Amino acid sequence: MTTVLDGILDGVREDLAGRQATTSLAELKARAGDRSPALDPLPAFRAPGVAIISEVKRRSPSKGALADIADPAWLAGQYVEGGAAAISVLTEQRRFGGSLADLTSVREAVDAPILRKDFIVTPYQLWESRAYGADLALLMVVSLPGHLLADLLGLTRELGLTALVEVHTAEELERAREVGAELIGINARNLRTLKVDRSVFGELVPLMPPGAVRVAESGVSGPEDVGDYHALGADVVLVGEALVRSGDPSGAVAKFIAAAREPLG
């Protein structure tokens, strides 16, 4: 049975083949070598309170168009002004409306660590991430069978990137633990069906390996959701839709951060 994720990955591989035909791996390696060393997000992620990864996200497969983001650099600057610990930039074009140009634009505008959010399934994409200025790269366990997860995690370390290893089930979390992931995201959205179940975080977070930084993904509509995730053990919360639709991205980030300091009602 073909899933939503299968369809996304088919498109990602097709688009990737087009980029590989125009930009060689050798060229990417040269560009990556010219970059300053990647920024380390983990100290900020491990600090007291909750860290927010704020996302530049135009649309999604589940919600369609979210926001008309004409200037990703401006939006990223607003996020940093509000206190975001890192910026996530969607670079998948077909379903999310993103691009590597967005990543370049944000990199030139902010000094905060930047996560390249995409469906990464090959080493080429990791070299691409570093060449375009990313500091972190998303590795989704669900789309990396066999030794591919360990191989790509090893390459992120060689490149100085920090891998955000994303899981949705206990089995995926066990695979993340086995390869020694330090930064683990629990996604409340099932990428095979696109359904969101926020209880997934509470069920999986006790299974996290000791010392891992715990990231909550999806299911955030307001500050109270950030507070709930933090109360369950999240060190970091990744937020996209609620921020791009807020009308006040800087103020919204600040409210999300403050929510972790407020007592639960």
Side-chain angles (χ1 to χ4, degrees):
M1 178 180 174
T2 301
T3 67
V4 174
L5 179 61
D6 292 331
I8 293 173
L9 289 174
D10 287 344
V12 164
R13 292 188 177 98
E14 186 175 331
D15 292 342
L16 173 61
R19 296 198 303 277
Q20 288 176 307
T22 58
T23 305
S24 69
L25 180 59
E27 184 177 345
L28 285 181
K29 289 182 176 181
R31 290 186 193 176
D34 290 338
R35 284 283 179 186
S36 300
L39 301 174
D40 182 1
L42 293 182
F45 289 173
R46 295 185 187 277
V50 69
I52 299 294
I53 301 176
S54 302
E55 196 154 80
V56 177
K57 183 177 186 180
R58 291 188 174 86
R59 64 177 186 257
S60 75
S62 60
K63 297 290 183 67
L66 299 174
D68 181 13
I69 302 173
D71 189 349
W74 176 86
L75 180 59
Q78 289 293 298
Y79 287 157
V80 171
E81 184 177 303
I87 308 299
S88 171
V89 180
L90 260 301
T91 59
E92 196 280 335
Q93 183 172 4
R94 296 189 184 206
R95 305 295 184 100
F96 293 89
S99 68
L100 287 166
D102 288 346
L103 181 58
T104 297
S105 176
V106 171
R107 174 74 291 162
E108 292 174 352
V110 301
D111 294 327
I114 298 174
L115 166 68
R116 189 216 178 156
K117 187 102 174 281
D118 210 320
F119 297 80
I120 293 175
V121 290
T122 69
Y124 182 94
Q125 291 165 290
L126 290 176
W127 281 103
E128 203 174 44
S129 301
R130 189 79 277 272
Y132 281 84
D135 306 289
L136 303 94
L138 180 68
L139 297 180
M140 296 185 297
V141 175
V142 68
S143 59
L144 300 174
H147 294 289
L148 190 53
L149 174 62
D151 291 346
L152 292 183
L153 181 60
L155 181 56
T156 62
R157 291 168 175 160
E158 290 178 28
L159 295 175
L161 290 163
T162 299
L164 171 56
V165 179
E166 180 180 292
V167 305
H168 179 74
T169 66
E171 292 77 14
E172 291 173 10
L173 180 53
E174 176 59 18
R175 288 189 63 208
R177 186 198 64 77
E178 289 174 352
V179 298
E182 291 183 88
L183 180 65
I184 301 177
I186 297 174
N187 196 344
R189 186 182 303 281
N190 184 330
L191 291 177
R192 291 190 172 97
T193 64
L194 299 184
K195 293 181 179 179
V196 173
D197 180 359
R198 292 182 62 242
S199 69
V200 169
F201 185 85
E203 293 168 2
L204 295 186
V205 74
L207 307 178
M208 281 279 200
V213 175
R214 299 160 294 192
V215 184
E217 303 177 46
S218 299
V220 174
S221 59
E224 66 282 357
D225 297 323
V226 174
D228 289 345
Y229 273 140
H230 182 62
L232 288 170
D235 305 300
V236 184
V237 180
L238 190 153
V239 189
E241 178 185 342
L243 289 177
V244 297
R245 287 182 161 176
S246 69
D248 178 15
S250 177
V253 172
K255 289 177 182 177
F256 288 159
I257 294 170
R261 297 193 292 265
E262 297 172 359
L264 297 176

